[in-house]
Amino acid sequence: MEIKHQITENLTAKISINFVEEDYQQEVTKALKEQSRKASIHGFRPGKVPFGMIKKMYGEAVMADTISNKLGTALDEYLKSKDFKTLGQPLIDDEEMKAVNFNTDKEFTFNYVVGLKPEFDIEIDDKLKLDFYNITVAKDAVDKYLMDVRKRFGTQSDTEFAAEDDIVMGNFAEVNSDGNEVENGVKKDSSIHLDYIKNKEIKADFLKLKKNESLIFNPQKAFKNEIELASILGIALSEVKNFKSDVKFTLSGISHFEPADINEDLFSKVYENDHITNEDELRERILRDIEGTYKSESKNQFMNELVDTLLELTNLNLPDEFMKKWILENNAREENDKKISRDELDLQYVNYRDTLRWQIIEEHISDKYGLKISNDEIKVRVGELLGMQAFGGDDESSQKIIDQVTESVMQNKEEVNKIASQIMEQKLTALFKEKAKVNEQNISYEDFITMVSKKVIAKSEKK
């Protein structure tokens, strides 16, 4: 058996594996003799079927099976011996591979292509500059949260006119300068919280509307948050900046809720297991929720910006054509409703490529800086997550349930991978905050949302 390889310029390796008769004949003969011993053919006693007949009947299939097994083993061992850092799985090289006839051929050559990971290095030091945003809690944040909670558990009522903090439902339609709907223009049934409207004059016009009445306004003036505007109009974030038209809103309904009273009934509905007894305790619990949410969003944004920074810094090349072919070949095994075409893949590939790039970068950093995750760490994290839930009973019985559920979760590979990913993000955050130059700055939640919105739009435009 002879194996050769050639590295190409586009991060792939072409591998040729050649078998001659002495490489496989002994295994084929042994397999045929075993088949002869087991064969049950009419007119012959068991184990007495002539070898020639067995070879004629089963020779081609046994040959194919034997060479296939040897081929897989040889390819795997060769890739390991050369220390190739591969992407995906080896694919048959359609350009080089010739037709094979196991019935007549004595010598076989198989040609493969493998995708290779790019070689690179990352040094994490103070030359790498990153921002970390600490979101501050506004004085009225608890008041707003409490009002949202009271409305969530309040009672809905019909009203002729909307109030400033109601939700209105209706149809948004793009119009021209004459106020007529634009043919094939933006049109969507949607709902908006009137508190999102920042322009006082436009909000006042909404408050005057009755059901089935309409008003024409400019959405760019009404809404400051581009993500909200994209959602309301049903357009892409990248299209928001260039959307200059007015829209006509036709009111179809008003969602008005009378806030629930602040009492023990509300306490038990909002925080069932916290045994809250008064408004002060409720406000303290809400504040902890807000602080926890803000910390989580700060960390998530740090990771998002870290990923974008390293993707841009490394600018890794990938064997794109190989990866696309590998994705399509694997996708061909999926159910029909999950299959994608080459055109669909081309549209989605940028996101897939960046995800793969980040996986390669993350793997490199974890290897270089020793960021390992043990099963014990995963178990502890699962236990912490379960501990946030109430199982009832005393501490001993609750812990027993947590231990049982933890063991069950550890058997779920998908859940284990998800939790391992969370732990790795925590380790990466700690590593970069320690070694890189991280500029920590305080920011209000409103400014944070505006900033993130602009960065998301800029990123989508860049793609």
Side-chain angles (χ1 to χ4, degrees), residues 15 82 114 178 202-203 233 237 255 274 301 326 334 337-338 374 394 415 421 427 435 463:
I15 298 176
K82 298 299 179 181
V114 294
D178 296 325
I202 295 175
K203 181 184 283 189
L233 298 180
L237 266 175
S255 181
D274 283 41
Q301 182 60 23
W326 180 75
E334 297 284 353
D337 60 340
K338 295 181 181 178
S374 67
D394 55 32
E415 283 299 319
S421 178
K427 294 190 177 213
K435 293 184 174 293
K463 286 187 176 182

Side-chain angles (χ1 to χ4, degrees), residues 11 19 23 34 37 123 137 139 145 196 210 268 290 300 333 345 348 418 439 444:
L11 284 173
F19 289 97
D23 292 325
E34 180 65 18
R37 188 179 67 81
E123 193 66 40
V137 180
K139 291 181 179 179
Y145 193 110
Y196 291 166
K210 292 182 180 180
S268 63
I290 295 173
N300 289 341
R333 304 185 187 101
L345 176 59
Q348 300 171 20
K418 188 186 299 182
N439 176 33
S444 70

Side-chain angles (χ1 to χ4, degrees), residues 3-15:
I3 306 180
K4 298 183 294 184
H5 78 268
Q6 176 187 359
I7 305 295
T8 69
E9 294 180 356
N10 56 354
L11 284 173
T12 59
K14 287 178 172 286
I15 298 176

Side-chain angles (χ1 to χ4, degrees), residues 132-133 135 289-304 381 425 448:
F132 190 96
Y133 300 96
I135 306 172
D289 262 7
I290 295 173
E291 290 173 339
T293 299
Y294 285 2
K295 285 180 182 178
S296 178
E297 292 197 31
S298 292
K299 291 176 182 178
N300 289 341
Q301 182 60 23
F302 180 76
M303 273 304 302
N304 290 338
R381 180 58 180 155
E425 285 189 5
F448 177 80

Side-chain angles (χ1 to χ4, degrees), residues 6 16 49 59 63 79 114 116 159 169 181 196 261 352 393:
Q6 176 187 359
S16 171
V49 181
M63 175 92 77
L79 292 175
V114 294
L116 303 176
T159 179
M169 289 80 74
E181 291 189 17
Y196 291 166
D261 292 333
Y352 175 84

